[in-house]
Coordinates of all heavy atoms in Angstrom, one line a residue:
Y220 N 32.0 98.7 153.9 CA 31.6 99.1 152.6 C 32.3 100.5 152.2 O 32.3 101.4 153.1 CB 30.0 99.2 152.4 CG 29.4 98.0 152.6 CD1 28.8 97.6 153.8 CD2 29.3 97.1 151.6 CE1 28.1 96.4 153.9 CE2 28.6 95.8 151.6 CZ 28.1 95.6 152.9 OH 27.4 94.4 152.9
K221 N 32.7 100.6 151.1 CA 33.3 101.8 150.6 C 32.2 103.0 150.6 O 31.2 102.9 150.2 CB 33.8 101.6 149.1 CG 34.6 102.8 148.7 CD 35.1 102.5 147.3 CE 36.0 103.7 146.9 NZ 36.6 103.5 145.5
G222 N 32.7 104.0 151.2 CA 31.8 105.3 151.3 C 30.8 105.3 152.4 O 30.0 106.2 152.6
V223 N 30.7 104.3 153.2 CA 29.8 104.2 154.4 C 30.5 104.5 155.6 O 31.6 103.9 155.9 CB 29.1 102.9 154.5 CG1 28.2 102.8 155.6 CG2 28.4 102.6 153.2
N224 N 30.0 105.4 156.4 CA 30.7 105.8 157.7 C 30.0 105.1 158.8 O 28.8 104.8 158.8 CB 30.6 107.3 158.0 CG 31.4 108.1 157.0 OD1 32.5 107.5 156.6 ND2 31.0 109.3 156.7
S225 N 30.7 104.7 159.9 CA 30.1 104.1 161.0 C 30.3 104.9 162.2 O 31.2 105.7 162.5 CB 30.8 102.7 161.2 OG 30.3 102.2 162.4
N226 N 29.2 105.1 163.1 CA 29.2 105.8 164.2 C 28.7 105.0 165.4 O 27.9 104.1 165.2 CB 28.3 107.0 164.2 CG 28.7 108.1 163.3 OD1 29.9 108.3 163.3 ND2 27.9 108.5 162.4
T227 N 29.2 105.2 166.5 CA 28.8 104.5 167.7 C 28.3 105.5 168.8 O 29.0 106.5 169.0 CB 29.9 103.6 168.3 OG1 30.5 102.8 167.3 CG2 29.6 102.9 169.7
S228 N 27.1 105.1 169.5 CA 26.7 106.0 170.6 C 26.5 105.1 171.8 O 26.1 104.0 171.8 CB 25.3 106.6 170.2 OG 25.5 107.4 169.1
N229 N 26.9 105.8 172.9 CA 26.6 105.1 174.2 C 25.3 105.7 174.7 O 24.9 106.8 174.6 CB 27.8 105.5 175.3 CG 29.0 104.9 174.9 OD1 29.1 103.8 174.5 ND2 30.1 105.6 175.2
V230 N 24.4 104.7 175.3 CA 23.1 105.1 175.8 C 23.1 104.7 177.2 O 23.5 103.6 177.6 CB 22.1 104.3 174.9 CG1 20.7 104.7 175.5 CG2 22.0 104.7 173.5
T231 N 22.6 105.6 178.0 CA 22.4 105.3 179.5 C 20.9 105.6 179.8 O 20.2 106.4 179.4 CB 23.1 106.3 180.3 OG1 24.5 106.3 180.0 CG2 23.0 106.1 181.8
V232 N 20.3 104.4 180.3 CA 18.8 104.4 180.7 C 18.8 104.7 182.1 O 19.4 104.1 182.9 CB 18.3 103.1 180.4 CG1 16.8 103.1 180.9 CG2 18.5 102.8 178.9
I233 N 17.9 105.8 182.5 CA 17.8 106.1 183.9 C 16.5 105.9 184.3 O 15.4 106.4 183.6 CB 18.1 107.7 184.0 CG1 19.5 108.0 183.6 CG2 17.9 108.2 185.5 CD1 19.9 109.4 183.4
S234 N 16.3 105.2 185.4 CA 15.0 105.0 186.0 C 14.5 106.2 186.8 O 15.1 106.7 187.5 CB 15.1 103.7 186.9 OG 14.0 103.6 187.7
A235 N 13.2 106.6 186.5 CA 12.6 107.7 187.3 C 11.9 107.2 188.5 O 11.2 106.1 188.5 CB 11.7 108.5 186.4
T236 N 12.0 107.9 189.6 CA 11.3 107.6 190.8 C 10.0 108.3 190.9 O 9.1 108.0 191.7 CB 12.2 108.0 192.1 OG1 12.5 109.2 192.0 CG2 13.3 106.9 192.1
S237 N 9.8 109.5 190.1 CA 8.5 110.1 190.1 C 8.4 111.0 188.9 O 9.4 111.4 188.2 CB 8.5 111.1 191.4 OG 9.4 112.1 191.2
V238 N 7.1 111.3 188.6 CA 6.9 112.2 187.4 C 6.0 113.2 187.9 O 5.0 113.0 188.6 CB 6.1 111.4 186.2 CG1 5.8 112.4 185.1 CG2 7.1 110.3 185.7
T239 N 6.2 114.5 187.6 CA 5.4 115.6 188.1 C 5.0 116.6 187.0 O 5.8 116.8 186.1 CB 6.4 116.5 189.1 OG1 6.9 115.7 190.1 CG2 5.5 117.6 189.7
V240 N 3.8 117.0 187.0 CA 3.3 117.8 186.1 C 3.3 119.3 186.8 O 3.0 119.5 187.9 CB 1.9 117.6 185.7 CG1 1.3 118.6 184.7 CG2 1.8 116.1 185.0
S241 N 3.6 120.3 186.0 CA 3.8 121.6 186.5 C 2.6 122.4 187.0 O 2.7 123.5 187.6 CB 4.6 122.5 185.5 OG 3.8 122.6 184.3
V242 N 1.4 122.0 186.6 CA 0.2 122.7 186.9 C -0.8 121.7 187.6 O -0.9 120.5 187.2 CB -0.4 123.2 185.5 CG1 -1.8 123.7 185.6 CG2 0.5 124.4 185.1
G243 N -1.7 122.3 188.4 CA -2.7 121.6 189.0 C -4.0 121.7 188.1 O -4.1 121.1 187.0
A244 N -5.0 122.6 188.5 CA -6.2 122.7 187.7 C -5.9 123.7 186.5 O -5.1 124.7 186.7 CB -7.2 123.3 188.6
V245 N -6.4 123.3 185.4 CA -6.4 124.1 184.2 C -7.7 124.4 183.8 O -8.6 123.6 183.5 CB -5.5 123.4 183.1 CG1 -5.5 124.3 181.9 CG2 -4.1 123.1 183.6
I246 N -8.0 125.8 183.5 CA -9.5 126.1 183.2 C -9.4 126.9 181.9 O -8.3 127.7 181.7 CB -10.0 126.9 184.2 CG1 -10.3 126.1 185.5 CG2 -11.4 127.4 183.9 CD1 -10.7 126.9 186.8
G247 N -10.1 126.7 181.0 CA -10.2 127.5 179.7 C -11.5 127.3 178.9 O -12.2 126.3 179.2
G248 N -11.7 128.1 178.0 CA -12.9 128.0 177.2 C -12.7 127.2 176.0 O -11.6 126.7 175.7
I249 N -13.9 126.7 175.4 CA -13.7 125.7 174.3 C -12.9 126.4 173.2 O -13.0 127.6 172.8 CB -15.2 125.5 173.7 CG1 -15.9 124.7 174.8 CG2 -15.1 124.7 172.4 CD1 -17.4 124.6 174.5
G250 N -12.0 125.6 172.7 CA -10.9 126.2 171.7 C -9.7 126.7 172.3 O -8.7 126.8 171.6
A251 N -9.6 126.8 173.7 CA -8.4 127.3 174.2 C -7.3 126.2 174.3 O -7.7 125.0 174.3 CB -8.7 127.8 175.7
V252 N -6.1 126.6 174.3 CA -5.0 125.7 174.4 C -4.1 126.1 175.6 O -3.8 127.2 175.6 CB -4.2 125.7 173.2 CG1 -3.0 124.8 173.1 CG2 -5.1 125.1 171.9
R253 N -3.7 125.1 176.3 CA -2.8 125.4 177.5 C -1.6 124.4 177.5 O -1.8 123.2 177.1 CB -3.5 125.2 178.8 CG -4.7 126.1 179.1 CD -4.2 127.6 179.3 NE -5.3 128.5 179.6 CZ -6.0 129.1 178.8 NH1 -5.9 129.1 177.5 NH2 -7.0 129.9 179.2
S254 N -0.5 124.7 177.6 CA 0.6 123.9 177.7 C 1.2 123.7 179.1 O 1.1 124.7 180.0 CB 1.9 124.6 176.9 OG 1.6 124.6 175.7
V255 N 1.5 122.4 179.5 CA 2.0 122.1 180.8 C 3.2 121.3 180.6 O 3.6 120.8 179.5 CB 1.0 121.3 181.7 CG1 -0.2 122.1 182.0 CG2 0.6 120.0 180.9
T256 N 4.1 121.2 181.6 CA 5.4 120.6 181.5 C 5.4 119.4 182.5 O 4.9 119.5 183.6 CB 6.6 121.5 181.9 OG1 6.5 122.6 181.1 CG2 7.9 120.9 181.9
A257 N 6.0 118.3 182.0 CA 6.2 117.1 182.9 C 7.6 116.9 183.2 O 8.4 116.9 182.1 CB 5.6 115.9 182.3
T258 N 8.0 116.7 184.4 CA 9.5 116.3 184.7 C 9.5 115.1 185.4 O 8.5 114.7 186.1 CB 10.1 117.5 185.6 OG1 9.3 117.6 186.8 CG2 10.1 118.7 184.9
A259 N 10.5 114.3 185.2 CA 10.8 113.1 185.9 C 12.0 113.2 186.7 O 12.9 114.0 186.5 CB 11.1 111.9 184.9
Q260 N 12.1 112.5 187.9 CA 13.1 112.6 188.8 C 13.6 111.4 189.3 O 12.7 110.5 189.6 CB 12.7 113.6 189.9 CG 13.8 113.9 190.9 CD 13.4 114.9 191.9 OE1 12.4 115.4 192.0 NE2 14.4 115.3 192.7
N261 N 14.8 111.1 189.5 CA 15.4 110.0 190.1 C 16.2 110.5 191.4 O 16.1 111.8 191.7 CB 16.2 109.1 189.2 CG 17.5 109.7 188.7 OD1 18.0 110.8 189.2 ND2 18.0 109.1 187.7
S262 N 17.1 109.8 191.9 CA 17.7 110.2 193.1 C 18.6 111.4 192.9 O 19.0 112.1 193.9 CB 18.5 109.1 193.8 OG 19.5 108.5 192.9
S263 N 19.1 111.6 191.6 CA 20.2 112.6 191.4 C 19.8 113.6 190.3 O 20.5 114.6 190.3 CB 21.5 112.0 191.1 OG 21.4 111.2 189.9
T264 N 18.8 113.3 189.5 CA 18.6 114.2 188.4 C 17.2 114.5 188.0 O 16.3 113.6 188.3 CB 19.1 113.4 187.1 OG1 20.5 113.0 187.3 CG2 19.1 114.4 185.9
T265 N 16.8 115.7 187.7 CA 15.5 116.0 187.2 C 15.5 116.3 185.8 O 16.4 117.1 185.3 CB 14.9 117.2 188.0 OG1 14.8 116.9 189.3 CG2 13.5 117.6 187.4
F266 N 14.7 115.8 184.9 CA 14.8 116.0 183.5 C 13.4 116.2 182.9 O 12.3 115.7 183.4 CB 15.6 114.9 182.8 CG 15.2 113.5 183.2 CD1 14.4 112.8 182.4 CD2 15.8 113.1 184.3 CE1 14.1 111.5 182.8 CE2 15.5 111.8 184.8 CZ 14.7 111.0 183.9
D267 N 13.3 117.0 181.8 CA 12.0 117.3 181.2 C 11.6 116.1 180.3 O 12.3 115.7 179.5 CB 12.1 118.6 180.3 CG 10.8 119.0 179.7 OD1 10.0 118.2 179.5 OD2 10.8 120.2 179.3
V268 N 10.4 115.5 180.6 CA 9.9 114.4 179.8 C 8.5 114.8 179.1 O 7.9 113.9 178.6 CB 9.6 113.2 180.6 CG1 11.1 112.7 181.3 CG2 8.7 113.4 181.9
T269 N 8.3 116.0 178.9 CA 7.0 116.5 178.4 C 6.8 115.8 177.0 O 5.7 115.5 176.7 CB 7.1 118.0 178.1 OG1 7.3 118.7 179.5 CG2 5.8 118.6 177.6
N270 N 7.8 115.9 176.1 CA 7.7 115.3 174.8 C 7.7 113.8 174.6 O 7.5 113.2 173.6 CB 8.5 116.0 173.8 CG 8.2 117.5 173.7 OD1 7.0 117.9 173.7 ND2 9.2 118.3 173.6
T271 N 8.2 113.2 175.7 CA 8.4 111.6 175.7 C 7.5 110.9 176.6 O 7.4 109.7 176.4 CB 9.9 111.3 176.0 OG1 10.3 111.8 177.3 CG2 10.8 111.9 174.9
A272 N 6.8 111.5 177.4 CA 5.9 110.9 178.4 C 4.6 110.4 177.6 O 4.3 111.0 176.5 CB 5.5 111.7 179.5
S273 N 3.8 109.5 178.3 CA 2.5 109.2 177.7 C 1.4 110.0 178.3 O 1.4 110.0 179.5 CB 2.2 107.6 178.0 OG 3.2 106.9 177.3
W274 N 0.7 110.7 177.5 CA -0.4 111.6 178.0 C -1.7 111.0 177.7 O -1.9 110.4 176.6 CB -0.3 113.0 177.4 CG 0.9 113.7 177.7 CD1 2.2 113.6 177.1 CD2 1.2 114.7 178.7 NE1 3.2 114.5 177.7 CE2 2.4 115.2 178.6 CE3 0.3 115.3 179.6 CZ2 3.0 116.1 179.5 CZ3 0.8 116.3 180.4 CH2 2.1 116.6 180.4
S275 N -2.7 111.2 178.5 CA -4.1 110.8 178.2 C -5.0 111.7 178.9 O -4.8 112.3 179.9 CB -4.3 109.3 178.6 OG -4.2 109.1 180.0
S276 N -6.3 111.7 178.3 CA -7.4 112.4 178.9 C -8.5 111.5 179.2 O -8.8 110.5 178.4 CB -8.0 113.5 177.9 OG -9.1 114.1 178.3
S277 N -9.1 111.8 180.4 CA -10.3 110.7 180.9 C -11.5 111.1 180.0 O -12.4 110.2 180.1 CB -10.5 111.1 182.4 OG -10.9 112.4 182.7
N278 N -11.6 112.2 179.4 CA -12.8 112.6 178.6 C -12.4 113.4 177.4 O -12.3 114.6 177.5 CB -13.7 113.3 179.5 CG -15.1 113.6 178.9 OD1 -15.2 113.4 177.6 ND2 -16.1 113.9 179.6
T279 N -12.1 112.7 176.2 CA -11.5 113.4 175.1 C -12.7 114.3 174.4 O -12.3 115.0 173.6 CB -11.0 112.3 174.1 OG1 -12.0 111.4 173.8 CG2 -9.7 111.7 174.7
S280 N -13.9 114.2 174.8 CA -14.9 115.1 174.3 C -14.8 116.5 175.0 O -15.4 117.4 174.6 CB -16.3 114.6 174.4 OG -16.7 114.3 175.6
V281 N -14.0 116.5 176.0 CA -13.9 117.7 176.7 C -12.4 118.3 176.6 O -12.3 119.6 176.4 CB -14.1 117.5 178.3 CG1 -13.7 118.7 179.2 CG2 -15.6 117.2 178.7
A282 N -11.4 117.5 176.6 CA -10.0 117.9 176.5 C -9.2 116.9 175.8 O -9.2 115.7 176.2 CB -9.4 118.2 177.9
S283 N -8.5 117.2 174.9 CA -7.5 116.4 174.2 C -6.1 116.8 174.7 O -5.9 117.9 175.1 CB -7.5 116.4 172.7 OG -7.2 117.7 172.3
V284 N -5.1 115.9 174.7 CA -3.8 116.2 175.2 C -2.7 115.4 174.4 O -2.9 114.3 174.0 CB -3.7 115.9 176.6 CG1 -3.9 114.5 177.1 CG2 -2.3 116.4 177.2
S285 N -1.7 116.1 174.1 CA -0.6 115.5 173.4 C 0.7 116.4 173.7 O 0.8 117.5 173.6 CB -0.7 115.5 171.9 OG 0.5 114.9 171.2
N286 N 1.8 115.6 174.2 CA 3.0 116.3 174.6 C 3.0 117.5 175.4 O 3.6 118.5 175.2 CB 3.8 116.6 173.2 CG 4.2 115.4 172.4 OD1 4.4 114.3 173.0 ND2 4.3 115.5 171.1
G287 N 2.0 117.4 176.3 CA 1.9 118.5 177.3 C 1.0 119.6 176.8 O 0.7 120.7 177.5
V288 N 0.4 119.5 175.6 CA -0.5 120.6 175.1 C -2.0 119.9 175.3 O -2.4 119.1 174.6 CB -0.2 121.0 173.6 CG1 -1.2 121.9 173.0 CG2 1.2 121.4 173.4
I289 N -2.7 120.8 176.1 CA -4.2 120.4 176.3 C -5.1 121.4 175.4 O -4.9 122.6 175.5 CB -4.5 120.7 177.9 CG1 -3.6 119.8 178.7 CG2 -5.9 120.4 178.0 CD1 -3.6 120.1 180.2
Q290 N -6.0 120.8 174.7 CA -6.9 121.6 174.0 C -8.3 121.4 174.5 O -8.7 120.1 174.6 CB -6.8 121.3 172.5 CG -7.7 122.1 171.6 CD -7.5 122.1 170.2 OE1 -6.7 121.3 169.7 NE2 -8.2 122.8 169.4
F291 N -8.9 122.4 174.9 CA -10.4 122.2 175.3 C -11.2 122.2 174.2 O -11.3 123.1 173.3 CB -10.7 123.5 176.2 CG -9.8 123.6 177.4 CD1 -8.7 124.5 177.3 CD2 -10.0 122.9 178.6 CE1 -7.8 124.6 178.4 CE2 -9.2 123.0 179.5 CZ -8.0 123.9 179.5
V292 N -12.0 121.0 174.0 CA -12.9 120.9 172.9 C -14.4 120.8 173.2 O -15.2 120.8 172.3 CB -12.5 119.6 172.1 CG1 -11.1 119.6 171.6 CG2 -12.6 118.3 173.1
G293 N -14.7 120.7 174.5 CA -16.1 120.9 174.8 C -16.3 121.1 176.3 O -15.4 121.1 177.0
A294 N -17.6 121.3 176.7 CA -17.9 121.7 178.1 C -17.8 120.4 179.0 O -18.1 119.4 178.5 CB -19.2 122.2 178.2
G295 N -17.4 120.6 180.3 CA -17.3 119.5 181.2 C -16.0 119.5 181.9 O -15.3 120.6 182.0
S296 N -15.7 118.3 182.4 CA -14.3 118.2 183.1 C -13.6 116.9 182.6 O -14.3 116.0 182.3 CB -14.5 118.3 184.6 OG -15.3 117.2 185.1
A297 N -12.4 116.9 182.8 CA -11.5 115.8 182.4 C -10.4 115.9 183.3 O -9.8 116.8 183.7 CB -11.1 115.9 181.0
T298 N -9.7 114.7 183.5 CA -8.5 114.5 184.1 C -7.4 114.2 183.1 O -7.6 113.1 182.3 CB -8.6 113.4 185.3 OG1 -9.5 113.7 186.1 CG2 -7.3 113.2 186.0
V299 N -6.4 114.9 183.2 CA -5.3 114.6 182.3 C -4.1 113.9 183.1 O -3.8 114.2 184.2 CB -4.6 115.9 181.6 CG1 -3.4 115.7 181.0 CG2 -5.6 116.6 180.7
T300 N -3.8 112.7 182.6 CA -2.8 111.8 183.2 C -1.5 111.8 182.4 O -1.6 111.6 181.2 CB -3.4 110.4 183.4 OG1 -4.6 110.7 184.2 CG2 -2.4 109.5 184.1
V301 N -0.3 111.8 183.0 CA 0.9 111.7 182.4 C 1.7 110.5 183.1 O 1.6 110.4 184.3 CB 1.7 112.9 182.4 CG1 2.0 113.5 183.7 CG2 3.1 112.8 181.6
T302 N 2.2 109.5 182.3 CA 3.1 108.6 182.8 C 4.4 108.4 182.0 O 4.5 109.0 180.9 CB 2.3 107.2 182.8 OG1 2.0 106.9 181.4 CG2 1.1 107.2 183.7

Protein backbone atom coordinates (compact mmCIF):
# COMPACT_ATOMS: atom_id res chain seq x y z
CA TYR A 1 0.00 0.00 0.00
CA LYS A 2 1.15 3.47 -0.79
CA GLY A 3 2.56 5.27 2.26
CA VAL A 4 2.70 2.14 4.47
CA ASN A 5 6.08 1.01 5.74
CA SER A 6 6.89 -2.56 6.61
CA ASN A 7 9.24 -3.73 9.35
CA THR A 8 10.49 -7.17 10.24
CA SER A 9 11.78 -8.28 13.65
CA ASN A 10 13.56 -11.45 14.65
CA VAL A 11 12.42 -12.93 17.96
CA THR A 12 14.41 -15.38 20.03
CA VAL A 13 12.61 -17.28 22.80
CA ILE A 14 14.88 -18.38 25.62
CA SER A 15 13.85 -21.05 28.09
CA ALA A 16 14.72 -20.28 31.73
CA THR A 17 16.02 -22.96 34.07
CA SER A 18 15.38 -20.94 37.26
CA VAL A 19 13.71 -17.78 38.55
CA THR A 20 15.18 -16.03 41.60
CA VAL A 21 13.77 -13.23 43.74
CA SER A 22 16.32 -10.82 45.19
CA VAL A 23 14.91 -10.76 48.74
CA GLY A 24 13.90 -13.35 51.33
CA ALA A 25 11.72 -12.02 54.18
CA VAL A 26 10.21 -8.58 53.70
CA ILE A 27 8.78 -6.76 56.72
CA GLY A 28 6.87 -3.50 56.75
CA GLY A 29 4.01 -1.62 58.34
CA ILE A 30 0.55 -1.25 56.85
CA GLY A 31 0.77 1.09 53.87
CA ALA A 32 4.47 0.40 53.29
CA VAL A 33 5.71 -0.50 49.82
CA ARG A 34 8.77 -2.63 49.03
CA SER A 35 10.25 -3.41 45.62
CA VAL A 36 11.95 -6.70 44.80
CA THR A 37 13.61 -7.95 41.64
CA ALA A 38 13.10 -11.28 39.88
CA THR A 39 15.72 -12.70 37.56
CA ALA A 40 15.54 -15.72 35.30
CA GLN A 41 18.54 -17.75 34.27
CA ASN A 42 19.32 -20.36 31.67
CA SER A 43 22.65 -22.03 30.99
CA SER A 44 24.26 -18.88 29.57
CA THR A 45 22.25 -15.77 30.47
CA THR A 46 20.66 -14.03 33.44
CA PHE A 47 17.96 -11.49 32.70
CA ASP A 48 15.55 -9.29 34.67
CA VAL A 49 11.96 -10.58 34.49
CA THR A 50 10.49 -8.40 37.23
CA ASN A 51 7.97 -6.70 34.93
CA THR A 52 7.11 -9.76 32.83
CA ALA A 53 6.85 -12.51 35.46
CA SER A 54 3.57 -13.58 37.08
CA TRP A 55 3.34 -12.42 40.70
CA SER A 56 0.85 -13.58 43.33
CA SER A 57 0.19 -13.23 47.05
CA SER A 58 -1.09 -16.05 49.26
CA ASN A 59 -3.07 -13.52 51.31
CA THR A 60 -4.12 -10.37 49.47
CA SER A 61 -5.69 -8.93 52.64
CA VAL A 62 -2.11 -8.73 54.01
CA ALA A 63 0.01 -7.99 50.93
CA SER A 64 -0.67 -7.21 47.30
CA VAL A 65 1.99 -7.56 44.63
CA SER A 66 2.43 -6.47 41.03
CA ASN A 67 5.61 -6.28 38.93
CA GLY A 68 7.79 -6.78 42.00
CA VAL A 69 6.12 -4.06 44.07
CA ILE A 70 4.75 -5.41 47.34
CA GLN A 71 2.25 -3.26 49.23
CA PHE A 72 1.38 -4.10 52.83
CA VAL A 73 -2.37 -3.69 53.27
CA GLY A 74 -3.13 -5.46 56.57
CA ALA A 75 -1.67 -7.28 59.57
CA GLY A 76 -0.56 -10.89 59.20
CA SER A 77 1.71 -12.84 56.90
CA ALA A 78 1.65 -13.73 53.22
CA THR A 79 3.86 -15.58 50.77
CA VAL A 80 4.67 -13.80 47.53
CA THR A 81 5.26 -16.16 44.60
CA VAL A 82 6.82 -15.34 41.25
CA THR A 83 6.77 -17.62 38.19
